[in-house]
Amino acid sequence: MKKFLTIALIISLVLTIVVFVKPVDTQAGSNAGYITAGEFVTQLLTQAKVTPATWDKAVEMKLIPPEVKKDKPLTRAQASYIVWKLINAVPELKDKNIPVKVEILSPVDYTLWPKGEPGKNFRGAYVPWYRNPYYGDKPIYTNAYRVIRTYNIVVIDKYYKDGTVKTVHVWNRLRDYDPAKDWVKLLQRFMKEQPNKVKFDFPQERTKALVWDIMPIIFFNLDPNKQLPAGKKPYTLYRVVPGDVLYPEYGRKYPGAYYFYYPYITHEGKTGYAIASFAFLQFGKYKTKNPEDWNLTAELNPIFNESLNRWLMILPRQYPLDYTRFKYICVDFKSVPKLYQEAMLRLADLGIITPDVNIDKNIFKTKFVDGRLYFDGKVKQPKLPVPDIRFNAGRILTQKEATEMIARVFDESRRKVVDEMTFDYSKEKNPRMVDESGWTLYDGYGNPDMAVERLMFQHTGTSITLRVDELWQLFYAQYLMEKYPDAPMLFTNAYYLNPDRYISNDKLKKLDPKMREEIIGRMWYKVHLGFGYIRDGNIGGLGPFARYQPVTYSIPLVDGLAFPKDVEEILAKKVDEIGYYTQNTKR
């Protein structure tokens, strides 16, 4: 298989496209290349440091299904059962593979994440929002439509006993609604079902989440020598009333203004207090019959109405968010014997087993339609077959498959989850596209860059795991990465020039080589991947979404949509549209 990992980007592929193999009769005798149950168990127990690593020990531990015989071959299902039972029986394996807690975060939960030290608690953003009244009173980024459309996304945090947290960013669309197009229908249903919950309901703990070094809200620094006003507490939300320091200007001009105090440290090491204010909030517009007014009312915005946030999160989705999603992803799940179903589902979720994907790559050439024509309404979404993804539970396990399966139990870097992709940026000169304070997401005044109007994703880490429920688009992404491994403007190889770090070529030439290399390293960033909205904000996309958007290509998250032919021609030429990549090959 053609290698397509670039030096700057280590991509852990989670899709293995294989040729369909007819399941072998589970009663067949031992064949060359296959492993017996006894051999498999011995190797597995040895790796797990279970003593004695014997068949009898495995029987004692209740790892062996009744039908499995020591000197006979194993099926995939039987081997999965044994591995899953072992994981539960060995504390070290259980602690590493079974989380003690799982939290499912909405886009609002993730963006306004309240945990961690205030000022250093920025994880990323799915919901960009606007705060500066000098550019107009309408909160164009925080309106209901721009927030609700993000609810095709969730973030899953898995907490483990040793304190490790594993995060998966999931595109899993709502089953009955397209939130970008059906946001009015969703709000109508919410108001009908829960009329008493149509109110301002901003959780107290989220005030701490707003105190990033770059805050997308209005703030005023007070005299650091003064204490908090009598009766006021930090991070507590107050309504502007006569007598407040904000009232003369904001109490009259913005009748819906709320504010809170938060501490900060001055350059002299003193503790002062600043005021953060929601001067742009508007109330009561949900009572009008014009849905456009609903955009601008706090009562119908998931940021400011926690009940609406939670209600949106319980709506049915395309797939379950846990391991049971493979019941629907794998077309042969119903043929898996009941005894083995949970084990196979669990191991597929962990990536210890990878269901077989049996698809013809010609589908991308013959069935997919030009995404640009789809956007323009000139073609319809194509009807595609259900992706042929199978557990093949009854197939006999080969020696090679058994070795890989056992290795994955103990080496997570070898695991492959069929609907996920992991991207690692830790080898980059600038591995963090967005720092922990949001500096590269917001400008010096706390405003998002204009390109961020369509943002749904940024993150602070050096790696990211994405799960995509548009399976054909996931496979299409893998196909493109394999076909055009070095294409500079494909979403996996996209860079952007950071204007805050820019220095002219003439000045660069005058610097010594080491300094020049350091400057160039600060100028250029590998653009992280994520989920965003493209084409006027109505179509989900998989690609780079960043401040100072580079010229790159995002894959539409609608099954059956392909890049236009002219885009593929650019990818094939291995050049970009504006010369950044070809002029800076040493990045």
Side-chain angles (χ1 to χ4, degrees), residues 65 76 94 100 105 115 133 154-155 165 184 216 342 360 379 386 407 413 421 453 474 494 504 510 526 535 582:
R76 277 185 168 188
K94 183 176 182 180
V100 295
L105 307 178
K115 301 177 183 178
V154 298
V155 177
V165 181
V184 171
E342 181 179 4
D360 182 354
V379 297
V386 175
S413 68
M421 296 187 293
E453 178 178 348
L474 175 72
S504 69
K510 297 178 182 179
K526 175 65 71 66
R535 197 64 174 189
T582 52

Side-chain angles (χ1 to χ4, degrees), residues 105-113 121-129 150 153-155 167-170 212 425 430-443 447-466 494-496 498 525-533 541 543-550 552:
L105 307 178
S106 73
V108 168
D109 299 331
Y110 179 74
T111 304
L112 305 181
W113 192 65
N121 60 339
F122 184 85
R123 292 189 64 186
Y126 282 104
V127 181
W129 55 312
T150 66
I153 288 179
V154 298
V155 177
T167 300
V168 182
H169 298 252
V170 184
W212 307 326
Y425 301 89
N430 295 286
R432 296 166 72 112
M433 173 64 188
V434 177
D435 65 21
E436 63 187 3
S437 303
W439 274 98
T440 47
L441 179 61
Y442 292 91
D443 67 19
N447 300 301
D449 181 85
M450 289 305 295
V452 184
E453 178 178 348
R454 60 182 180 176
L455 176 78
M456 281 177 56
F457 171 81
Q458 283 290 5
H459 75 103
T460 59
T462 59
S463 67
I464 182 72
T465 296
L466 305 175
Y495 287 81
Y496 90 114
N498 185 347
Y525 286 81
K526 175 65 71 66
V527 180
H528 287 195
L529 263 67
F531 302 123
Y533 266 104
F545 293 86
R547 183 183 174 197
Y548 305 112
Q549 184 81 4
T552 59

Side-chain angles (χ1 to χ4, degrees), residues 503-548:
I503 183 172
S504 69
N505 285 330
D506 290 339
K507 290 183 179 180
L508 280 174
K509 292 177 182 178
K510 297 178 182 179
L511 300 175
D512 66 80
K514 288 186 178 180
M515 179 62 70
R516 183 165 57 247
E517 184 69 16
E518 181 181 344
I519 293 294
I520 292 175
R522 293 200 300 265
M523 286 168 53
W524 290 93
Y525 286 81
K526 175 65 71 66
V527 180
H528 287 195
L529 263 67
F531 302 123
Y533 266 104
I534 56 181
R535 197 64 174 189
D536 299 326
N538 287 325
I539 303 295
L542 170 65
F545 293 86
R547 183 183 174 197
Y548 305 112

Side-chain angles (χ1 to χ4, degrees), residues 286-335:
Y286 69 91
K287 297 178 181 179
T288 73
K289 295 182 179 180
N290 181 8
E292 288 303 317
D293 289 335
W294 302 352
N295 253 327
L296 304 175
T297 187
E299 295 94 337
L300 291 181
N301 191 312
I303 291 178
F304 304 110
N305 187 336
E306 180 65 6
S307 296
L308 176 57
N309 178 35
R310 300 269 67 86
W311 180 82
L312 288 166
M313 287 297 291
I314 64 174
L315 295 176
R317 294 186 175 271
Q318 178 103 345
Y319 294 115
L321 292 170
D322 61 4
Y323 67 95
T324 61
R325 68 189 184 278
F326 287 99
K327 290 182 180 181
Y328 309 96
I329 291 175
C330 294
V331 298
D332 65 341
F333 173 75
K334 291 183 180 179
S335 68

Side-chain angles (χ1 to χ4, degrees), residues 30-31 41 50-51 67 104 140 147 152 170 188 196 202 215-216 227 310 343 420 426 443 498 504 541 561:
S30 180
N31 294 285
V41 165
V50 173
T51 55
E67 66 180 4
I104 299 175
I140 61 172
V147 181
N152 277 337
V170 184
Q188 287 173 329
N196 295 331
F202 189 81
M215 299 191 327
Q227 299 298 313
R310 300 269 67 86
E420 294 180 359
S426 60
D443 67 19
N498 185 347
S504 69
L561 301 192

Side-chain angles (χ1 to χ4, degrees), residues 153 238 333 362 375 467:
I153 288 179
Y238 298 103
F333 173 75
N362 286 323
F375 297 148
R467 183 187 301 170

Side-chain angles (χ1 to χ4, degrees), residues 195-216:
N196 295 331
K197 298 296 181 64
V198 183
K199 59 183 180 180
F200 178 68
D201 178 20
F202 189 81
Q204 178 70 43
E205 65 271 15
R206 290 225 177 104
T207 55
K208 292 185 179 181
L210 294 172
V211 185
W212 307 326
D213 282 0
I214 297 297
M215 299 191 327

